[in-house]
């Protein structure tokens, strides 16, 4: 067990349920390999609910290996788990009968050591997975450079906080500007993972919302909707897509929504980071609606349109995700189609490539598996015959946009 990562050990426990392994007993057997703070506890998707419910805050204070005096004082005072000790202030320690300053310092030191070990272990387990995901994205050189700078800034913010230095004026809220399909949502999800790895967020989960989640049907109700969104976004990255749409239905709704967003950003500044995303021509007007909003969003990342070569690579990648490859002749056809798409700002960039592949796969299925087909089955190679533009892909009229990449 000791040689497995935390998530690997959890998975092993799930798989070996029938052999009588006890979840918490294994964590306690190898405390050095346990991320005791829930902030650093990561369970792979798909684990049993019983496993995910076995929170590490149930770990006993015995794991701290305290002196006899410190241990007995804590037990008599009713402290049994590490989690109970985490939020104690200096004044709280002084109230523990017979504890003394030396024993209090010992407990604080043990808690810090566990935190440091947890961070080191988790960094080793993740091996900067989210940073690698960012590097693996096609194109976006400028975006990658800016995200790396923001990540460094985030690490500095964490260190300032740990040293109890004043960092109240430092916020990690951002504005993402770019046309449809330029990977704004994808980068936001990666950024949430990076902040999680650093230790600034409790989860890598992104809460994605749009206008319908923030604007109510009557004046006075919008503020409550916004507050509810921020409450659900505690410890997460909050991604507000097409943020400018908040101003579409009149000044009253807009003022109420933005004023409440500004207030909630301040109230949750240390536990929730907000990304406002939208198209270049609209975001400037949105931020001009409230000067307080602009001052609380210090970072701006501009997502440029993909080049034709990058769109070809994205198309090939999307095909590979679905178990297909693109023939050399088909790649030439894809290039010609992408060239046409670059002239239409509504085409969708990466989204266009995804739709192009999905349409090609439908054509492949009809060509290879159709009733009158004489093609050899099973090669799963998309040819130039499969890549054609359907009517809706060539449509230039404005359509309803959806959240996401």
């Amino acid at each position: 067990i000791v040689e497995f990562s935390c998530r690997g050990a959890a998975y092993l426990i799930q798989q070996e349920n029938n052999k009588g392994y006890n979840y918490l007993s294994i964590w306690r057997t190898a405390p050095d390999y346990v991320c005791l703070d829930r902030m650093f506890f990561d369970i792979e998707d798909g684990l049993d609910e019983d496993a995910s419910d076995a929170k590490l805050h149930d770990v006993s204070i015995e794991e701290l290996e305290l002196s006899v005096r410190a241990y007995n004082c804590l037990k008599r005072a009713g402290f049994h788990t590490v989690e109970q000790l985490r939020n104690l202030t200096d004044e709280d320690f002084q109230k523990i009968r017979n504890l003394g300053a030396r024993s209090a310092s010992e407990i604080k030191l043990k808690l810090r050591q566990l935190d440091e070990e947890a961070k080191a272990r988790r960094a080793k387990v993740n091996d900067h997975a989210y940073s690698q995901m960012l590097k693996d994205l096609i194109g976006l050189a400028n975006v990658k450079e800016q995200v790396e700078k923001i990540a460094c800034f985030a690490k500095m913010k964490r260190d300032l906080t740990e040293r109890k230095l004043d960092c109240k004026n430092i916020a990690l809220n951002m504005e993402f500007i770019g046309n449809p399909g330029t990977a704004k949502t994808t980068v936001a999800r990666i950024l949430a993972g990076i902040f999680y790895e650093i230790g600034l967020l409790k989860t890598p989960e992104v809460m994605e919302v749009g206008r319908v989640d923030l604007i109510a049907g009557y004046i006075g109700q919008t503020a409550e909707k916004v507050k509810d969104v921020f409450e659900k976004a505690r410890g997460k990255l909050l991604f507000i897509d097409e943020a400018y749409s908040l101003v579409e239905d009149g000044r009253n709704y807009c003022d109420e929504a933005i004023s409440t967003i500004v207030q909630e950003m301040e109230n949750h500044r240390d536990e929730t980071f907000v990304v406002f995303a939208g198209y270049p021509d609209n975001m400037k007007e949105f931020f001009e609606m409230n000067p307080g909003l602009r001052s609380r969003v210090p970072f701006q990342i501009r997502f440029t349109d993909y080049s034709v070569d990058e769109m070809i690579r994205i198309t090939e990648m999307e095909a590979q995700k679905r178990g297909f490859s693109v023939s050399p002749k088909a790649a030439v056809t894809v290039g010609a189609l992408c060239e046409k798409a670059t002239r239409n700002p509504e085409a969708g960039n990466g989204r266009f490539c995804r739709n192009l592949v999905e349409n090609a796969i439908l054509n492949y299925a009809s060509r290879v598996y159709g009733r009158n087909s004489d093609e050899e089955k099973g090669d799963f190679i998309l040819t130039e015959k499969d890549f054609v533009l359907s009517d809706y892909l060539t449509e230039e009229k404005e359509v309803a946009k959806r959240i996401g990449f």
Side-chain angles (χ1 to χ4, degrees), residues 321-389:
K321 286 181 182 179
R322 294 158 175 78
F324 288 81
S325 61
V326 178
S327 71
K329 288 185 178 180
V332 175
T333 301
V334 168
L337 298 176
C338 290
E339 175 67 33
K340 291 181 180 179
T342 57
R343 302 180 197 140
N344 177 10
E346 297 294 331
N349 283 282
R351 194 176 299 158
F352 169 85
C353 299
R354 183 188 64 198
N355 292 336
L356 191 65
V357 169
E358 290 175 351
N359 191 52
I361 292 174
L362 288 176
N363 292 333
Y364 172 89
S366 178
R367 175 171 60 84
V368 176
Y369 293 92
R371 185 173 299 176
N372 299 321
S373 173
D374 57 357
E375 301 256 359
E376 184 178 349
K377 295 178 174 57
D379 61 355
F380 299 103
I381 299 174
L382 299 177
T383 70
E384 65 275 16
K385 299 176 184 177
D386 302 316
F387 286 98
V388 295
L389 292 183

Side-chain angles (χ1 to χ4, degrees), residues 148-185:
E148 287 175 1
K149 288 181 180 179
I150 292 172
C152 293
F153 189 87
K155 291 176 183 177
M156 181 185 72
K157 176 181 171 70
R158 175 200 61 194
D159 291 345
L160 287 171
T161 301
E162 289 178 350
R163 288 167 174 77
K164 298 184 179 179
L165 298 175
D166 185 13
C167 59
K168 292 182 180 178
N169 294 324
I170 300 176
L172 286 170
N173 304 310
M174 283 158 273
E175 176 189 8
F176 283 9
I177 299 177
N179 285 324
T182 48
K184 296 185 293 294
T185 306

